[in-house]
């Protein structure tokens, strides 16, 4: 008798097999957050678009989705990891020279190109600045193609602000409006105090034409998106980056299902018009 | 000296007076004067009579709570277009917090005592203003609740 191979159990396609990447640098961003610079050992994965993510594998521990947070000056891919569990803990304690596995890039992106000719308002909360940084860098690298740009960043405290030196560089430019706010101020803090959605009204943009990119804890995104809509931004021009429990990243396992949407393949970047109602459904 | 009409125009661009009837706006503007504060200057002290409130035109102010023998705790900052102070509306008409200019700040100062008297005489205007201030207070309360949630905490995904 001939045993037929089960088509569902065949070896994974190359895109599902992690490729080897070596950690070249580790940047301590915050007490619980590090940025890993990685370089391909073999053939590199496709270039990620701003907002896309990789499945990052800590050998022997597990795999998690991590957004790409940019490229280093030497061109290495940057991923910013916050230690919240076993796998992110292993990734966060990685040393230069270590080997990791990467597959991807996966998911939708911020569609930076589609914002050309529009004012842009970027709102980041906490670690949400990491997936937004490549988009901000793209806007600033091609500054003339966009209208007014506002970058609003919120964090728990001044010590929890991600990418501080780069925020300072952006703030020093006269062609981008950067506003920082914290929930709890510390002595000497000169920025704002209060939640980041409150900064929306102060952004010097034409809300009726603006494109908004929002990333952070889901509660913060919900309030921010509503604040943007209240000011006149169309829900189709408000983009949020959702996070759900992802395992396969290719829409097969269903762990990240959000109503009719698979966050891994339809998202993570989605229009608020499509997911805004779902973001207010407790069961989702 | 800034003119009445100019103050009325400035008030239309603020969260609390936007869309108000022009006649009411002109009356309110009559209670207003243009003021400026240097960075670090005290604008109000907790417990002091709240005879005025402010509409911020430029700059930034911080609401603070004084802590004995320590730096004041900053609760919230307010910027252009936002209204500072509603203690003039409610007994005992005293400031609930300290207020300090974080940077050079320009504002319209409005005489709350005068406006309160007018509101008592003209209940239509009184109700209108009460509704508008209630809206601002509700928005600030919602923001404060969000602030209390500590949404960036370690136990929540980012």
């Amino acid at each position: 008798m001939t045993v037929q191979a089960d088509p569902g159990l065949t070896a994974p396609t190359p895109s599902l097999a992690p490729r080897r990447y070596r950690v070249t640098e580790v940047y301590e961003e915050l007490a619980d957050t590090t940025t890993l610079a990685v370089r391909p050992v073999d053939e590199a994965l496709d270039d990620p678009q701003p907002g896309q993510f990789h499945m990052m594998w800590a050998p022997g521990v597990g795999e998690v989705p991590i957004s790409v947070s940019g490229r280093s000056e030497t061109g290495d891919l940057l991923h910013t990891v916050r230690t919240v569990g076993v796998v992110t803990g292993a990734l966060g304690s990685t040393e230069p020279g270590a080997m990791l596995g990467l597959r991807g890039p996966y998911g939708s992106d911020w569609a930076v190109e589609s914002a050309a000719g529009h004012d842009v308002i970027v709102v980041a909360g906490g670690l949400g600045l990491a997936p937004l940084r490549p988009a901000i860098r793209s806007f600033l690298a091609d500054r003339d193609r966009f209208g007014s740009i506002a970058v609003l960043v919120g964090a728990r405290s001044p010590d929890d602000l991600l990418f501080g030196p780069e925020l300072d560089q952006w703030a020093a430019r006269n062609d981008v409006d950067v506003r920082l706010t914290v929930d709890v101020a510390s002595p000497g803090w000169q920025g704002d105090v209060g939640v980041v959605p409150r900064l929306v009204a102060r952004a010097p943009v034409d809300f009726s034409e603006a494109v908004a990119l929002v990333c952070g804890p889901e509660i913060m995104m919900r309030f921010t998106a509503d604040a943007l809509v209240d000011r006149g931004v169309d829900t189709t021009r408000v983009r949020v980056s959702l996070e759900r429990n992802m395992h396969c990243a290719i829409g097969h396992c269903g762990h990240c299902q959000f109503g009719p949407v698979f966050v891994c393949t339809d998202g993570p970047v989605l229009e608020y018009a499509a997911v805004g109602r779902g973001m207010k459904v407790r069961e989702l | 000296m800034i003119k009445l009409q100019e103050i009325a125009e400035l008030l239309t661009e603020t969260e609390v007076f936007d869309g108000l009837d022009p006649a009411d706006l002109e009356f309110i503007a009559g209670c207003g004067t243009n003021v400026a504060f240097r960075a670090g200057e005290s604008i109000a002290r907790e417990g002091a009579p709240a005879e005025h409130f402010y509409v911020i035109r430029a700059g930034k102010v911080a609401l603070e709570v004084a802590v004995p023998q320590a730096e004041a705790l900053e609760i919230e900052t307010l910027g252009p277009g936002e209204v500072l102070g509603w203690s003039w509306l409610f007994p005992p008409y005293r400031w609930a917090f300290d207020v300090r200019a974080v940077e050079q700040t320009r504002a319209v100062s409005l005489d709350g005592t005068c406006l309160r008297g007018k509101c008592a005489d003209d209940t239509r205007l009184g109700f209108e203003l009460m509704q508008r201030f209630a809206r601002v207070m509700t928005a600030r309360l919602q923001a404060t609740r969000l602030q209390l949630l500590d949404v960036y905490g370690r136990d929540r995904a980012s």
Side-chain angles (χ1 to χ4, degrees):
Chain A
M1 191 174 88
T2 306
V3 177
Q4 296 290 319
D6 182 339
L9 297 175
T10 52
T13 58
S15 65
L16 289 179
R19 291 198 193 160
R20 295 187 301 167
Y21 274 69
R22 193 176 297 284
V23 177
T24 54
E25 291 280 351
V26 177
Y27 306 93
E28 300 291 336
E29 305 284 2
L30 307 173
D32 59 357
T33 305
T34 53
T35 293
L36 306 177
V38 295
R39 188 176 298 168
V41 174
D42 310 304
E43 190 187 351
L45 295 166
D46 290 344
D47 275 347
Q49 295 299 308
Q52 287 192 299
F53 67 95
H54 285 120
M55 291 303 288
M56 198 170 232
W57 176 48
V61 184
E63 196 185 40
V64 285
I66 303 288
S67 295
V68 178
S69 59
R71 280 194 184 273
S72 70
E73 287 178 1
T74 54
D76 292 342
L77 279 170
L78 300 176
H79 296 80
T80 301
V81 184
R82 185 187 198 187
T83 299
V84 291
V86 176
V87 183
T88 51
L91 291 170
S93 57
T94 302
E95 300 284 343
M99 196 79 79
L100 300 174
L102 253 70
R103 58 186 177 94
Y106 292 120
S108 57
D109 60 79
W110 291 114
V112 167
E113 272 301 306
S114 69
H118 292 266
D119 286 2
V120 177
I121 177 166
V122 179
V123 191
L127 196 58
L129 184 58
L132 282 167
R133 184 168 70 168
I136 298 169
R137 285 179 171 181
S138 296
F139 292 133
L140 297 182
D142 214 354
R143 184 64 191 84
D144 293 344
R145 299 189 58 227
F146 305 94
S148 298
I149 298 177
V151 176
L152 315 179
V153 180
R156 177 195 256 179
S157 73
D159 290 339
D160 294 312
L161 278 165
L162 200 59
F163 308 141
E166 194 159 356
L167 287 173
D168 290 342
Q169 285 173 20
W170 295 340
R173 295 174 63 129
N174 58 14
D175 57 358
V176 56
D177 186 79
V178 178
R179 292 166 195 260
L180 312 179
T181 189
V182 296
D183 287 355
V184 183
S186 50
W189 171 247
Q190 291 295 307
D192 279 289
V193 180
V195 292
V196 72
R198 287 209 58 216
L199 292 186
V200 166
R202 301 184 206 168
V205 298
D206 176 0
F207 290 99
S208 66
E209 290 296 322
V211 169
L213 317 184
V214 186
C215 189
E218 198 159 312
I219 302 169
M220 164 261 162
M221 288 198 289
R222 209 171 70 206
F223 279 88
T224 302
D226 286 344
L228 287 160
V229 173
D230 283 348
R231 303 298 297 185
V233 184
D234 193 276
T235 52
T236 59
R237 281 187 276 103
V238 177
R239 296 167 194 157
V240 296
S241 181
L242 290 185
E243 188 174 88
R244 284 293 183 276
N245 180 16
M246 287 184 205
H247 284 202
C248 73
I250 55 169
H252 282 189
C253 75
H255 280 91
C256 67
Q257 188 167 357
F258 179 81
V261 167
F262 285 113
V263 174
C264 65
T265 50
D266 301 311
V269 179
L270 293 153
E271 286 181 0
Y272 194 57
V275 294
R277 285 181 66 183
M279 288 171 73
K280 291 169 183 167
V281 175
R282 294 163 194 217
E283 292 76 10
L284 291 176
Chain B
M1 186 78 175
I2 194 162
K3 291 178 185 162
L4 186 77
Q5 191 58 38
E6 288 176 48
I7 290 181
E9 280 173 23
L10 290 170
L11 295 181
T12 59
E13 295 165 10
T14 63
E15 60 176 349
V16 74
F17 294 124
D18 178 34
L20 191 66
D21 180 83
D24 291 339
L25 206 56
E26 198 165 318
F27 172 78
I28 293 165
C31 300
T33 52
N34 203 28
V35 293
F37 301 99
R38 297 182 307 278
E41 188 175 345
S42 171
I43 300 173
R45 297 274 289 187
E46 180 186 339
E51 292 162 350
H52 294 84
F53 68 102
Y54 302 90
V55 169
I56 300 165
R57 297 175 54 199
K60 182 160 62 184
V61 304
L63 273 63
E64 297 177 337
V65 175
V67 183
Q69 300 185 355
E71 291 232 19
L73 294 177
E74 215 171 300
I75 302 163
E76 186 179 36
T77 49
L78 301 173
E82 294 184 305
V83 66
L84 163 64
W86 48 64
S87 300
W88 63 276
L89 257 178
F90 311 100
Y93 311 117
R94 292 188 178 277
W95 286 94
F97 299 105
D98 292 348
V99 185
R100 178 181 57 85
V102 177
E103 54 193 54
Q104 174 78 19
T105 298
R106 285 182 291 128
V108 175
S109 167
L110 291 141
D111 185 339
T113 312
C114 158
L115 205 51
R116 207 166 59 227
K118 173 71 176 171
C119 288
D121 294 340
D122 180 350
T123 52
R124 181 201 55 80
L125 175 62
F127 183 66
E128 177 73 34
L129 282 185
M130 195 62 84
Q131 272 199 316
R132 286 167 175 269
F133 273 87
R135 235 175 4 239
V136 173
M137 285 188 270
T138 304
R140 302 262 177 96
L141 174 63
Q142 303 286 29
T144 304
R145 284 172 171 162
L146 188 57
Q147 205 169 338
L148 290 172
L149 283 177
D150 188 21
V151 294
Y152 307 118
R154 282 180 60 93
D155 54 339
R156 291 183 171 84
S158 288

